[in-house]
């Protein structure tokens, strides 16, 4: 079984500042890792995913994440945030066979002017 | 890219009635679909895994008789909330996994629908 821990429930940050949203996972098998964003009253949008290969993954909207197998982490980063990045961010993990995806509790990113 | 459509996007029903939510993969065949539930300001909780042509596999704590899942074709799965009560009000999201050999360039990604808001009054 897999599990995902998002260490911060809320992250306030000023506009144009860098941000890191933390995610740790546990699994007894190889997994795929994902970050999703959810804007208020909307569905999920895939930001980026790690399947294999390079541990640094670049996604949409200027986000990137780094897979660290030894630390079982997949932290999301953006060098300069915008007001429009205010949203809920979910880290997710799925096994490589059944693709059952487990989500973390979410981190609310709040970008202040 | 691959598209998963959910219908209806919003529905209000009376307590005690049943409501059906559809999840369709529009441009690919989905051998497996997943149903999630999201409470306000909470994360997504996996309810069940739906495989085409077989019974759904429910997660622990999910009532099978209350949340009926049918995956009758490779492009359609339905979730029926039976005898709905106000506590069933929630945001329900489905996701779909392309079948073997399909959309392999997508990197084995699963695709999410836009979600359906259910309000039981």
């Amino acid at each position: 079984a897999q599990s995902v821990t998002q260490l911060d429930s809320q992250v306030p940050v000023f506009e144009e500042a860098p941000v890191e949203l933390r995610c740790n996972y546990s699994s007894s098998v190889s997994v795929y890792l994902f970050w999703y964003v959810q804007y208020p009253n909307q569905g999920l949008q895939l930001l980026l995913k790690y399947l294999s290969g390079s541990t640094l993954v670049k996604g949409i909207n200027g986000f990137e994440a780094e897979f660290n197998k030894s630390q079982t982490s997949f932290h999301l980063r953006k060098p300069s945030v915008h007001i429009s990045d205010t949203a809920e961010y979910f880290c997710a993990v799925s096994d490589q066979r059944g693709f059952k995806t487990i989500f973390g509790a979410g981190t609310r990113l709040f970008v202040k002017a | 890219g691959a598209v998963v459509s959910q219908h209806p996007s919003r529905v209000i029903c009376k307590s005690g009635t049943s409501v059906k939510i559809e999840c369709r993969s529009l441009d690919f065949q989905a051998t497996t679909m997943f149903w999630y539930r999201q409470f306000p300001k909470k994360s997504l909780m996996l309810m069940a895994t739906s495989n085409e042509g077989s019974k759904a596999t429910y997660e622990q704590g999910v009532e099978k008789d209350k949340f009926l899942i049918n995956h009758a074709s490779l492009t359609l799965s339905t979730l029926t909330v039976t005898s709905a009560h106000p506590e069933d009000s929630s945001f329900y999201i489905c996701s779909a996994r392309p079948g073997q050999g399909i959309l392999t360039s997508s990197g084995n990604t699963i695709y999410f629908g836009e979600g359906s808001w259910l309000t039981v009054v």
Side-chain angles (χ1 to χ4, degrees):
Chain A
Q2 296 85 41
S3 68
V4 181
T5 301
Q6 290 185 244
L7 298 163
D8 306 294
S9 59
Q10 295 186 68
V11 174
V13 63
F14 285 104
E15 192 174 21
E16 298 184 5
V19 70
E20 179 179 79
L21 306 184
R22 297 180 293 170
C23 172
N24 287 91
Y25 71 94
S26 67
S27 176
S28 57
V29 299
S30 296
V31 296
Y32 297 134
L33 295 159
F34 306 84
W35 275 98
Y36 289 89
V37 60
Q38 185 178 35
Y39 298 100
N41 299 318
Q42 294 187 26
L44 293 178
Q45 182 179 9
L46 179 66
L47 276 178
L48 48 78
K49 60 189 176 187
Y50 172 79
L51 304 178
S52 65
S54 173
T55 57
L56 183 62
V57 180
K58 293 190 182 298
I60 62 172
N61 301 341
F63 284 93
E64 63 179 31
E66 185 156 19
F67 170 57
N68 188 318
K69 189 173 183 178
S70 63
Q71 297 186 8
T72 60
S73 68
F74 191 54
H75 300 333
L76 180 71
R77 296 191 292 258
K78 185 169 182 177
S80 176
V81 295
H82 302 291
I83 297 287
S84 59
D85 291 324
T86 294
E88 191 82 21
Y89 291 80
F90 293 99
C91 181
V93 59
S94 73
D95 63 77
Q96 292 184 4
R97 293 189 63 185
F99 289 87
K100 186 166 80 170
T101 303
I102 304 301
F103 287 82
T107 297
R108 172 138 181 89
L109 174 64
F110 179 59
V111 181
K112 301 178 286 185
Chain B
V3 177
V4 175
S5 173
Q6 276 186 244
H7 177 80
S9 57
R10 292 180 181 274
V11 58
I12 300 173
C13 71
K14 291 184 177 180
S15 186
T17 63
S18 295
V19 60
K20 180 185 289 186
I21 301 170
E22 295 185 345
C23 177
R24 292 182 184 274
S25 55
L26 298 185
D27 50 2
F28 64 95
Q29 293 181 331
T31 53
T32 305
M33 289 184 171
F34 304 90
W35 285 96
Y36 294 84
R37 179 176 181 177
Q38 186 180 31
F39 292 98
K41 299 184 180 181
K42 297 292 184 182
S43 187
L44 288 85
M45 302 301 296
L46 179 64
M47 298 174 67
T49 302
S50 170
N51 294 299
E52 187 269 336
S54 63
K55 291 183 178 180
T57 303
Y58 290 80
E59 295 298 304
Q60 191 172 10
V62 178
E63 298 178 60
K64 301 178 183 181
D65 295 332
K66 180 162 189 65
F67 299 100
L68 301 179
I69 292 172
N70 184 282
H71 194 158
S73 77
L74 286 171
T75 60
L76 174 64
S77 176
T78 60
L79 167 68
T80 301
V81 183
T82 63
S83 187
H85 292 286
E87 56 265 31
D88 297 326
S89 299
S90 192
F91 187 52
Y92 293 88
I93 307 178
C94 73
S95 66
R97 174 192 176 190
Q100 191 75 16
I102 297 172
L103 292 180
T104 53
S105 61
S106 70
N108 295 315
T109 301
I110 57 173
Y111 299 91
F112 281 85
E114 286 296 311
S116 299
W117 291 96
L118 170 62
T119 302
V120 184
V121 298

